[in-house]
Amino acid sequence: MPLRARRLAAILSLSVLGFGLMGDLAVRAEDAKPAAAASDDDDKPYKIIDGKIDFGTFNGYRRFGDNCARCHGETADGSSFAPSLVDRLKTFGYDHFTEVVINGKTENVGGVQYVMPSFGNNPDVAENIDDIYAWVKGRSDGAIKPGRPDHLDKADPRNNK
Ligand code: HEC
């Protein structure tokens, strides 16, 4: 086969594979919908009311900015120091998140050690970990935009609904 044709054949078979995968994923997403829709709302650790996030989640945004942003970026999208939490929170939930933040973790990527410090002895983090999780989860879900969010007042009763 001439080189050109061979390359075309390779591209074609790749895109066939790609479409096959996409079809598969689409079907699986359809299958998952009814169950996910019911539980998703209950599971959300943040509230968004009239475009404003609840005060606890806003507190999480501020604590994240103070303690995590220097490595994970102001938007939680990651930096050269640490991975994107927007991405990683698509693969694990609250339990793993809190475990890692309290105890820390190291990762070896191609011989380079990346260190996630432990925050178990840092009350600013440990006592606000649910709020921090809520904000990062909202970022990961695409529900909370980057930057300083509009938020409900601390005294607003809708925070606790
Ligand atoms: C000194 C830099 C640094 C700071 C500050 C930091 N992290 Fe990390 N974090 C890392 C690195 C590096 C990793 C990747 C290490 C790994 O996955 O083993 C990581 C990984 C994580 C993970 C994912 C672990 C996994 O299993 O994928 C979570 C969740 C996390 N950090 C949350 C936080 C939170 C919340 C804060 C603030 C309270 C924070 N980090 C502050 C460097 C940092």
Side-chain angles (χ1 to χ4, degrees):
M1 216 193 287
L3 188 59
R4 265 263 215 56
R6 227 186 297 159
R7 213 188 280 160
L8 187 66
I11 291 170
L12 276 175
S13 63
L14 262 183
S15 54
V16 166
L17 188 72
F19 279 124
L21 276 176
M22 268 160 58
D24 205 31
L25 283 176
V27 169
R28 253 183 274 152
E30 276 300 315
D31 282 353
K33 242 183 202 161
S39 61
D40 262 9
D41 279 345
D42 301 339
D43 286 341
K44 282 191 184 102
Y46 51 87
K47 294 190 190 76
I48 302 177
I49 298 167
D50 298 338
K52 296 178 177 180
I53 65 172
D54 63 283
F55 190 80
T57 304
F58 178 65
N59 178 49
Y61 157 76
R62 290 172 58 186
R63 309 288 171 171
F64 184 93
D66 288 348
N67 296 286
C68 322
R70 69 192 152 99
C71 291
H72 290 285
E74 291 290 336
T75 62
D77 284 303
S79 77
S80 49
F81 299 114
S84 163
L85 297 180
V86 171
D87 289 345
R88 293 236 175 153
L89 251 71
K90 294 181 167 65
T91 65
F92 57 75
Y94 177 82
D95 289 349
H96 181 75
F97 180 91
T98 49
E99 197 277 318
V100 169
V101 174
I102 295 302
N103 297 320
K105 186 172 179 242
T106 51
E107 195 173 54
N108 190 314
V109 183
V112 181
Q113 288 278 80
Y114 290 89
V115 178
M116 163 68 194
S118 80
F119 286 90
N121 293 324
N122 179 334
D124 197 45
V125 172
E127 289 167 14
N128 294 289
I129 198 159
D130 287 2
D131 287 347
I132 295 173
Y133 176 72
W135 180 76
V136 178
K137 179 71 177 152
R139 286 284 305 123
S140 179
D141 287 351
I144 299 176
K145 294 193 183 68
R148 188 183 172 89
D150 283 340
H151 61 91
L152 299 179
D153 290 338
K154 192 173 185 177
D156 194 314
R158 290 176 297 175
N159 282 310
N160 304 315
K161 255 206 239 152

